[in-house]
C-alpha cells in the first residue's frame, strides 16, 4: 500500500481558483473588492473540501 501525502500544489491551485472567482465576482458585482472575503472564503472552502473529500488533495508517493 503506497503512502499518501497531501499535495500542496493541488491545494494551492484550488485556493487560487476560489480566490480569483471571489475577486472577479466582487469586482463585477459591487465594483469594490473585499480583501478579507477573498482570503477567508477560499480558506473555508479548502477546509470543507478537505473534510468531506480528502482524496482530492492526496497524492501517491
Amino acid at each position: 500500500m503506497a503512502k499518501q501525502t497531501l499535495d500542496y500544489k493541488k491545494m494551492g491551485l484550488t485556493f487560487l481558483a476560489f480566490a480569483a472567482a471571489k475577486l472577479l465576482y466582487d469586482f463585477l458585482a459591487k465594483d469594490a473588492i473585499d480583501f478579507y472575503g477573498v482570503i477567508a472564503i477560499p480558506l473555508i472552502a479548502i477546509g470543507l473540501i478537505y473534510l468531506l473529500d480528502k482524496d482530492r488533495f492526496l497524492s501517491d508517493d
Side-chain angles (χ1 to χ4, degrees):
M1 188 164 153
K3 183 179 177 185
Q4 293 182 334
T5 58
L6 282 175
D7 189 359
Y8 291 105
K9 186 176 179 180
K10 285 182 188 178
M11 289 178 77
L13 287 174
T14 306
F15 175 81
L16 287 176
F18 278 118
K22 175 69 170 127
L23 187 70
L24 187 63
Y25 173 76
D26 280 350
F27 180 72
L28 293 175
K30 302 188 277 189
D31 289 333
I33 297 170
D34 176 23
F35 288 105
Y36 293 114
V38 170
I39 300 299
I41 291 173
L43 283 177
I44 293 168
I46 295 292
L48 289 174
I49 291 171
Y50 180 73
L51 286 175
L52 297 175
D53 187 19
K54 289 182 183 178
D55 295 334
R56 182 178 304 242
F57 294 134
L58 294 178
S59 66
D60 294 328
D61 280 343

